[in-house]
Amino acid sequence: MENGVWVFIESDSGTIADVSLELLWKGRELADQLRCELGCFIIGHQVSDAASDLIAYGADMVCVADHAQLVHYLTLPYTRIAVELIKEYRPSIVLIGATSTGRDLAPRIASHMRTGLTADCTDLQIGEYKFGKRIWKELLWQIRPAFGGNVIATIVTPETKPQMATVREGVFRQPDADPAREGTVVDLKPTLTEQDLIFKIVERVKAEKKVNLKSARIIVAGGMGVGSKDNFELVRELAGVLGGEVGATRAAVDAGFVDHERQIGQTGVTVRPNLYVACGISGAIQHRAGMQESSRIIAINTDSDAPIFSVAHYGITGDLNEVIPRMIKAYKEKD
Amino acid sequence: MAYRMVCLMKQVPDTRNITADVLREDGTVNRQALPAVVNPDDLFALEMALDVKDKYGGEITVMSMGPPAAIEVLRDAMSRGADHAILLTDKKFAGADTLATSHVLESAIRKNGPFNLIFCGRQAIDGDTAQVGPQVAEKLDIPQVTFAEAIEFLDQDDIVIRRAIEGGFERIRGRIPLLVTVTNAAANPRPPSIKRKMFWKKAQTRSSVQSEEEGEMLERGLLIPVWGLAEVGCAAEICGFQGSETWIKNVENVKLTAHEPKSFDTSETGIKELINELINEHII
Ligand SMILES: Cc1cc2nc3c(=O)[nH]c(=O)nc-3n(C[C@H](O)[C@H](O)[C@H](O)COP(=O)(O)OP(=O)(O)OC[C@H]3O[C@@H](n4cnc5c(N)ncnc54)[C@H](O)[C@@H]3O)c2cc1C
């Protein structure tokens, strides 16, 4: 199983994280292209049942590390188990979800393996890379918007293995399960050391995910143009009237207008609703990366040159403070 | 117990408010035109260190890797109450990815001597990777707690930290030495003291002062040490561009096709037309 594509499967109380399944979908595609196997590893407690699901979703091999004390993520034992697996199976690619767990784990593994890691990729492909006279075939192209306006960088890790990347939720699609698929399950039976358990979780409070932007059919998103936290009420009202969810840009989140979980874009969630209403959003590449595949996009912006208009299907050049109330009124008056 | 602490801080272009003046014709950002600021999360990291110092005593060394201009970050940190500052700068450090950066920081921290706690910001706004902290912790072979919001308990080696997770938080208990990455949900950074600010404004590196001033600057404690490759004691192959394992294959300008959206005017009639079209197409 050397040189395979591997995915870290994140789970919480036995439920597999969406992002991990999305990575299996992409991982399957990459493995088929590379003519290699798709492996994955799941660490937790009472996760053995998940193994057959993971095979149905496309894995050829599932390594299970089940231990009562691994029920929640802990940096040290998770890293140690992952590193031991990587050293044993020598995958050529390792993909990890860019969640709070993945963002703690991935750099720790990469640092240990002294290999490269690219955060928040918005696409992954296989391709070649030439540098001077040297040429590498079949490298992982780690694609992400680069800071610097409308640019997309393709990053490669030619000289070390594994090639590592993290990806946010929603970027790839969910695989379909095929219960007839076959694969192997390796039970790792981990033993933990005192050093592994130097940190313990004494309390954990986790609310059910309140917002589910990914499955919303309509999203009304606000940016800096909304102006203030109070004025964001306008965006909420329009979302409420249309039966949609509220989204935001990073700038709006940073400014404290809304919670971080509503951030859309490269470092937030990627969404593909039927309708996306962008209010006071300039349309920076990092934002577009998370919404440009929406079926219909309405842009409301005072600046007719704002880049958001080039991905929009409907454009209104004007002040959202006038436009939104009129939209609400027009919708309420329909029929 | 007095704690020996290191706080890692970075100077970044202020990506939070990219205005039209810094955009080039082609829509790319002129990085140089953005104001350089202290990475916002790093100020929360410094605040957490200062709070430990206030409550339990200790000393804070601030380190920043970057170009000579990054001295501004150190002046700021000293004005807020840090005890020592070291600028890590060398042409060989340039072009570093997060892995190469972590090698330099690891070497510098080891060189600086024993420590109990290392603080850094959760992530830097120019890359948002949140990778450097964990990579440094791994290299130092110490545990890490990422996305920390507060140190809730500290007694000798025992520590309890509250950290953010998706949709909630965790209280995690363990022992130092430890590296902590701090989010902006932690206690707000204190402002610099005016007096200290006036004083540290004058701080310089040795290479930027006239030799006749050097003695006096040194005596007043205004010379900020600069560590390059030799001082840090890190092998050149693992630093900077050379030590980076992620290579940029290419950077492409995204051409926004001159696609014209169907436009509607802002009058009540214009908006009504839009809403009707959406209704007719069963979009809403
Ligand atoms: C590493 C990195 C990762 C990032 N990740 C993300 C991400 O995941 N998501 C994200 O969104 N951003 C992300 N960004 C930030 C991104 O580059 C932009 O800075 C951000 O998207 C801008 O948000 P905005 O459109 O709300 O604000 P601005 O760019 O300030 O735009 C505000 C817009 O509002 C318009 N406006 C003002 N007043 C009105 C009014 N009264 N009516 C109508 N329009 C008005 C203005 O014309 C302007 O176009 C990232 C940046 C970096 C460097």
Side-chain angles (χ1 to χ4, degrees), chain A residues 68-86:
Chain A
Q69 294 200 278
L70 295 177
V71 60
H72 297 305
Y73 173 74
L74 288 170
T75 307
L76 296 182
Y78 273 59
T79 306
R80 187 175 60 78
I81 292 168
V83 161
E84 282 169 10
L85 274 173
I86 290 170

Side-chain angles (χ1 to χ4, degrees), chain A residues 223-224 249-250 263-267 280 282 286-287 301 319-320:
Chain A
M224 284 311 276
T249 62
R250 188 181 82 171
Q263 182 178 319
I264 290 167
Q266 183 205 0
T267 52
S282 60
Q286 292 91 354
H287 186 75
N301 199 304
D319 186 340
L320 62 90

Side-chain angles (χ1 to χ4, degrees), chain B residues 113-145:
Chain B
F115 60 84
N116 307 111
L117 282 160
I118 313 245
F119 292 93
C120 30
R122 163 194 51 177
Q123 63 195 40
I125 55 172
D126 57 346
D128 268 11
T129 73
Q131 286 172 190
V132 170
Q135 286 178 315
V136 171
E138 163 66 30
K139 298 240 157 332
L140 291 169
D141 202 16
I142 56 169
Q144 73 201 28
V145 174

Side-chain angles (χ1 to χ4, degrees), chain A residues 220-235:
Chain A
V220 182
M224 284 311 276
V226 177
S228 68
K229 189 172 177 170
D230 288 344
N231 210 36
F232 225 84
E233 198 46 50
L234 262 178
V235 174

